[in-house]
Amino acid sequence: MSENYSMTIGGEAVRAPGTFGVVDPATGEVAEQAPDASREQLDAAMAAAQAAYPAWRRDEAARRKALLAAADIMFTRSEEIGRIITLEQGKPLADATMEVVGAGVWLKYFADLELPAEVIQDDANARVEVVRRPMGVVAAITPWNFPLLLAIWKLAPALLAGNTMVLKPSPFTPLSSLKLGEVLRDVLPPGVLNVVTGGDELGAWMTSHDVPRKISFTGSVATGKRVAAAAAPDLKRVTLELGGNDPAILLDDVDPAAVAARLFGAAFQNNGQVCSAVKRVYAPASVYDDVVEALAEQARAAKVGEGTREGVQYGPINNEPQYERVGELVAEALAGGARAAAGGGPIDGPGYFFQPTILADVEDGARIVDEEQFGPALPVIRYTDLDEALARANGTHFGLSGSVWGADADRAAEVAAELECGTAWVNTHLALAPHQPFGGFKWSGVGVENGPWGLYGFTELQVIHRSKA
Ligand code: NAD
């Protein structure tokens, strides 16, 4: 195997009996090899995390210090780690570097976050305190769209709360997590963070393993349901951050030219491979044509290419199955009468490149509207009645986030309050921050990440009741 990447188990670099290929999506060719962990190696990682737990949970000062040191590494080595993300994920180097910087920002935020203890009674009878305790070993499973940042969304709060972790990234993007394990070996005591890589079955082994007390999962709805089912017999706690099909509703006082760039950015960031990207736009008939044209103009101006090339805004789609799926959804919509106002298909040549695509004259019922496309193709749907648009926006199993856009922000906020989703934005979309809880209604998830609420998800409540009688 390649000597470049090893797993981290008990603070040591560990090779696996076998490897699997990691494809550079800009070429479609295998560019690196990653370790394919055996079941015994997963057992060893779980045992190391369990062994590290008692000392780690007791030393809050060491935990805060370690998270700050980890943040520093993210800031100082952002380009080096960013290059790895570009190689395996495809996104432009500037975005990949920003992902690493973002990881540092999240680590710093959690390093300073307090875990409050509340005194809920203190009288002649008793002093009753409610505190939060860590859970033990956390199994963290992540997807391929933001491989490093989404791992840190789990690692920072889980470790701060006093848990230890076994992390398994997506088989499409294992390298940045392997690197994370490597760069944190000097910062974290052995066993506090273990990183193992392999195929989907490694994730299934983790969710049915008897060591972890908590599974923190980010990925698709279908896998999330499997994770919940696997966790149930052992009553493992779960946080599930799943897919979205975010609607953006434009009101009739919207200025299409004024919002087009932001709306386009929120739909096409990371090539549309964002759980809470705008995935369908509802535009009133009065401004429909202008909205479609303003978005199409943005799409035509977008620079697509290899993530390592200067000035590129959008890289390839991350992997072949996803590339095929986006192509299929777009082709099906076009065959069903939709019009490609911009783009409409793959870009010839090697790699998984796809034209930024704006689809007009498309309706609910088309798969590209009803399902999560997770790629660079955006349907724009015409409406005449706002209540009906709201009903269509909410008429899905998804409920991650959504947005409402209009000149009258108060009116837009009133409409946004009707959205059934975890985050409702007004005149913006995809505004995420470490202090803002993020999670989904309905099939988009269970629990939240970020902010104190995300931290609480890695704790159990404990009551300390001291009798004074
Ligand atoms: P996926 O569900 O295919 O895979 C996610 C992870 O689960 C991978 O590490 C995979 O190896 C692992 N896995 C697969 N089968 C498993 C099993 N049976 N048990 C345990 N683990 C298993 O998702 P993906 O294609 O990598 O990611 C894209 C999806 O993730 C999209 O639906 C997107 O919306 C969602 N997502 C959600 C958020 C959020 O915060 N809500 C963020 C990013 C992505």
Side-chain angles (χ1 to χ4, degrees):
M1 75 169 267
S2 140
E3 296 295 308
N4 294 336
Y5 293 91
S6 50
M7 301 190 289
T8 298
I9 299 178
E12 302 286 334
V14 174
R15 307 216 169 276
T19 64
F20 61 95
V22 181
V23 170
D24 174 354
T27 62
E29 305 289 335
V30 171
E32 266 294 350
Q33 294 290 322
D36 195 4
S38 67
R39 223 180 231 279
E40 292 68 34
Q41 288 178 316
L42 176 65
D43 289 343
M46 291 291 178
Q50 202 167 28
Y53 176 59
W56 182 247
R57 68 167 291 185
R58 282 195 200 98
D59 196 346
E60 184 183 332
R63 300 200 300 268
R64 293 192 189 279
K65 207 169 138 219
L67 289 189
L68 285 176
D72 273 348
I73 293 176
M74 296 300 121
F75 295 135
T76 52
R77 297 176 72 172
S78 57
E79 193 186 325
E80 172 197 351
I81 302 173
R83 281 194 185 280
I84 298 171
I85 297 178
T86 294
L87 175 75
E88 65 181 358
Q89 207 287 330
K91 67 184 67 179
L93 184 56
D95 294 354
T97 304
M98 274 314 293
E99 179 172 342
V100 186
V101 171
V105 170
W106 253 261
L107 282 160
K108 235 171 137 349
Y109 168 78
F110 280 107
D112 292 334
L113 196 59
E114 288 302 321
L115 252 183
E118 270 178 85
V119 177
I120 57 168
Q121 182 187 341
D122 194 5
D123 56 22
N125 291 324
R127 178 183 162 87
V128 182
E129 215 182 348
V130 179
V131 297
R132 294 189 179 264
R133 299 292 187 216
M135 299 166 137
V137 176
V138 173
I141 302 176
T142 51
W144 46 259
N145 56 343
F146 290 89
L148 186 80
L149 185 61
L150 295 179
I152 295 295
W153 281 23
K154 303 181 185 317
L155 180 151
L159 266 48
L160 176 73
N163 305 282
T164 57
M165 176 172 276
V166 177
L167 166 67
K168 187 206 85 69
S170 163
F172 292 114
T173 53
L175 305 178
S176 48
S177 294
L178 290 166
K179 188 73 182 174
L180 178 70
E182 182 196 314
V183 301
L184 297 187
R185 272 176 218 152
D186 295 336
V187 165
L188 297 169
V192 167
L193 170 66
N194 305 274
V195 181
V196 292
T197 52
D200 290 347
E201 69 288 349
L202 179 60
W205 297 345
M206 288 169 76
T207 55
S208 58
H209 202 281
D210 58 7
V211 166
R213 287 315 313 150
K214 160 98 189 184
I215 301 168
S216 180
F217 172 84
T218 303
S220 63
V221 170
T223 311
K225 289 181 178 179
R226 274 180 223 123
V227 169
D234 188 33
L235 293 180
K236 289 181 175 65
R237 309 309 191 241
V238 291
T239 297
L240 304 174
E241 291 287 1
L242 308 179
N245 191 5
D246 287 15
I249 300 180
L250 275 48
L251 301 181
D252 52 12
D253 61 353
V254 81
D255 176 352
V259 300
R262 261 188 302 154
L263 195 54
F264 182 84
F268 286 79
Q269 195 202 98
N270 204 33
N271 238 345
Q273 302 165 121
V274 184
C275 50
S276 52
V278 172
K279 302 215 170 97
R280 43 195 176 127
V281 172
Y282 289 92
S286 54
V287 290
Y288 183 82
D289 291 338
D290 293 343
V291 168
V292 167
E293 189 41 38
L295 287 171
E297 225 172 87
Q298 296 283 326
R300 289 190 286 263
K303 290 193 178 56
V304 181
E306 292 90 347
T308 46
R309 266 204 0 237
E310 195 73 25
V312 157
Q313 294 169 296
Y314 302 98
I317 291 176
N318 173 255
N319 59 74
E320 193 174 9
Q322 188 59 21
Y323 173 71
E324 297 293 336
R325 178 177 156 76
V326 173
E328 223 176 83
L329 292 181
V330 168
E332 203 177 295
L334 293 174
R339 172 172 65 86
I347 297 173
D348 281 343
Y352 310 134
F353 292 98
F354 202 91
Q355 298 170 332
T357 295
I358 302 294
L359 292 175
D361 303 332
V362 56
E363 295 292 331
D364 291 80
R367 282 173 66 211
I368 195 141
V369 180
D370 292 359
E371 297 180 17
E372 182 187 34
Q373 68 274 44
F374 215 61
L378 180 68
V380 187
I381 305 130
R382 185 185 278 106
Y383 77 82
T384 44
D385 178 75
L386 180 58
D387 287 338
E388 198 202 318
L390 260 172
R392 286 197 253 161
N394 287 332
T396 145
H397 286 301
F398 293 104
L400 194 54
S401 36
S403 55
V404 179
W405 303 66
D408 179 345
D410 290 337
R411 179 174 162 237
E414 271 171 36
V415 178
E418 299 296 318
L419 288 173
E420 294 166 1
C421 55
T423 307
W425 282 291
V426 177
N427 286 330
T428 187
H429 197 115
L430 267 190
L432 298 167
H435 63 283
Q436 212 170 286
F438 180 70
F441 287 15
K442 302 191 260 183
W443 286 5
S444 286
V446 172
V448 297
E449 295 193 298
N450 300 332
W453 306 274
L455 178 61
Y456 298 162
F458 290 103
T459 64
E460 299 276 18
L461 274 183
Q462 184 179 50
V463 175
I464 311 261
H465 182 126
R466 266 204 274 174
S467 174
K468 291 189 189 170

